């Protein structure tokens, strides 16, 4: 079995070491420009077009992350880049769900207990007690109920919050009031106090966090975006903060990363920023999952995480 590997990240050596151990007997090589030698499997993160275009030998392309929007954008910009007979496979959880649940739980509790406002009072050296928001009316809406979103929604239920969830197709999650499809989208948004975005990034979801949709939330609502920066219309958020429609936002993802030093988000007092760390790809767990799926694929067994190219996830 011949395996191609590519990532622009600096930790490639560690990935190669662990993949070699998990795939004994595999002919594993790093793709370099001009390499068109045969390969059965590609393991990639943000690959260049030349790596994939024109290949008829690949059986599967394994993406080193849950989000496949970079590869799908490559296909949209250059139709025919993805080999027709190769399945595109994304990572499923590998420790990401727990990390995201921790991140979202922290953000929601911080806003419910008003710790963000206490930070500002501290800066002003003001000793003032604030009444916390009532938990029973502090409705959290989870936008996107895939593997990660469903886990986040369940964790919020366990914290005692009223939780809503929205997905493209109907889902049932114990303790979560679920909405599905375009006709139920406004009903999902209506009156939500904290909106948590976990949607996949597709052409249909681009800019979904816009002025119209933010206006449907409860006045003084909060936004937590841990999906993709392109989901958010940045100026619309700044306007909503200025108007008081949005009280504060926690952002982990941005249109341009790293976030430029001159960006207004850096100095905005009601925007909390983290550098795309809400769910890091855990190498050991990811390698185990990829190796197991490659083994199953070679045995002709079904595997999970296959991406529907048309739907984008």
């Amino acid at each position: 079995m011949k395996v191609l590997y590519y990532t622009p990240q600096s930790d490639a050596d560690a990935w190669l070491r662990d993949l070699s151990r998990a795939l004994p007997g595999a002919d594993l090589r790093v793709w370099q420009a001009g390499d068109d030698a045969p390969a059965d499997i590609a393991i990639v993160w943000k690959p260049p077009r030349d790596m994939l275009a024109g290949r008829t030998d690949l059986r599967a392309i394994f993406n080193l992350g849950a989000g496949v929007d970079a590869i799908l954008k490559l296909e949209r910009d250059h139709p025919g880049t993805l080999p027709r007979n190769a399945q595109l496979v994304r990572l499923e959880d590998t420790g990401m769900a727990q990390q995201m649940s921790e991140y979202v739980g922290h953000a929601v509790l911080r806003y419910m207990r008003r710790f963000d406002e206490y930070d500002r009072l501290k800066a002003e050296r003001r000793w003032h007690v604030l009444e916390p928001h009532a938990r029973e009316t502090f409705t959290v809406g989870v936008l996107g109920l895939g593997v990660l979103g469903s886990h986040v929604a369940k964790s919020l239920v366990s914290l005692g919050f009223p939780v809503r969830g929205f997905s493209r197709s109907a889902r049932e999650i114990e303790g979560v009031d679920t909405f599905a499809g375009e006709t139920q989208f406004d009903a999902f948004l209506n009156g939500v106090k904290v909106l948590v975005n976990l949607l996949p990034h597709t052409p249909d979801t681009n800019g979904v966090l816009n002025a119209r949709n933010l206006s449907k939330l409860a006045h003084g609502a909060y936004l937590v975006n841990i999906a993709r920066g392109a989901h958010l219309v940045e100026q619309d958020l700044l306007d909503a903060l200025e108007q008081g429609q949005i009280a504060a936002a926690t952002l982990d993802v941005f249109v341009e990363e790293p976030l430029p030093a001159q960006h207004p988000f850096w100095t905005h007092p009601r925007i909390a920023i983290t550098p795309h760390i809400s769910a890091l790809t855990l190498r050991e767990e990811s390698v185990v999952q990829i190796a197991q799926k490659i083994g199953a694929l070679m045995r002709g067994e079904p595997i999970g995480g296959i991406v529907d190219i048309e739907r984008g996830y």
Side-chain angles (χ1 to χ4, degrees), residues 151-171:
H151 194 283
V152 167
K154 291 174 186 176
S155 71
L156 291 166
V157 170
S158 72
L159 291 173
F161 291 104
V163 181
R164 296 180 190 173
F166 178 86
S167 56
R168 180 172 177 173
S169 54
R171 302 284 179 90

Side-chain angles (χ1 to χ4, degrees), residues 17-224:
R17 180 196 65 221
D18 290 353
L19 285 167
S20 296
R21 292 172 179 170
L23 298 168
D27 179 4
L28 177 64
R29 72 181 190 272
V30 177
W31 182 86
Q32 296 179 349
D35 180 354
D36 59 359
D40 304 294
I41 301 292
I43 301 173
V44 302
W45 179 248
K46 296 185 177 179
R49 178 178 182 272
D50 291 348
M51 179 183 180
L52 302 176
R55 284 193 172 272
T56 58
D57 46 2
L58 287 179
R59 296 182 59 179
I61 301 167
F62 286 83
N63 186 62
L64 292 174
V68 294
D69 45 306
I71 290 182
L72 295 182
K73 184 179 186 302
L74 197 62
E75 174 66 20
R76 288 195 302 273
D77 292 346
H78 306 281
T81 295
L82 291 179
R84 181 173 299 180
N85 297 322
Q87 295 177 313
L88 179 59
V89 186
R90 59 178 171 79
L91 288 178
E92 296 179 286
D93 192 355
T94 63
M96 296 179 188
Q98 181 62 34
Q99 293 178 74
M100 283 191 168
S101 294
E102 293 166 352
Y103 187 103
V104 172
H106 173 271
V108 173
L109 287 168
R110 179 170 176 261
Y111 289 138
M112 192 270 288
R113 292 292 305 273
R114 303 179 72 174
F115 291 141
D116 60 320
E117 296 175 73
Y118 282 120
D119 285 344
R120 293 197 292 273
L121 289 172
K122 175 180 178 291
E124 298 170 3
R125 302 187 182 189
R126 291 178 57 201
W127 183 279
H128 179 64
V129 177
L130 301 170
E131 183 177 353
H133 294 287
R135 187 186 303 263
E136 59 271 16
T137 59
F138 206 70
T139 302
V140 184
V142 179
L143 192 52
L145 292 176
V147 173
L148 302 177
S150 295
H151 194 283
V152 167
K154 291 174 186 176
S155 71
L156 291 166
V157 170
S158 72
L159 291 173
F161 291 104
V163 181
R164 296 180 190 173
F166 178 86
S167 56
R168 180 172 177 173
S169 54
R171 302 284 179 90
E172 289 189 11
I173 301 174
E174 186 176 357
V176 178
D177 190 8
T178 57
F179 299 75
E182 185 177 347
T183 59
Q184 295 187 2
F185 187 53
D186 284 356
F188 160 77
L189 294 173
N190 185 40
V192 160
K193 191 65 176 177
V194 186
L195 182 62
V196 179
N197 180 41
L198 277 156
L199 285 172
H201 180 220
T202 70
D204 289 340
T205 65
N206 196 67
V208 68
L209 303 176
N210 54 41
R212 178 203 178 274
N213 294 334
L214 295 176
S215 72
K216 300 290 183 181
L217 306 177
H219 186 76
Y222 301 91
L223 174 66
V224 180

Side-chain angles (χ1 to χ4, degrees), residues 216-263:
K216 300 290 183 181
L217 306 177
H219 186 76
Y222 301 91
L223 174 66
V224 180
N225 188 20
I226 56 175
R228 286 292 185 267
H231 285 128
L232 175 64
V233 180
E234 294 181 341
Q235 188 58 51
D236 287 0
L237 173 61
L238 292 170
D239 291 344
L241 287 164
E242 180 66 26
Q243 297 157 9
Q245 172 59 22
I246 299 297
T250 295
L251 306 178
D252 185 52
V253 290
F254 306 90
V255 173
E256 184 179 351
E257 296 181 1
L259 188 66
Q262 71 276 13
H263 199 287

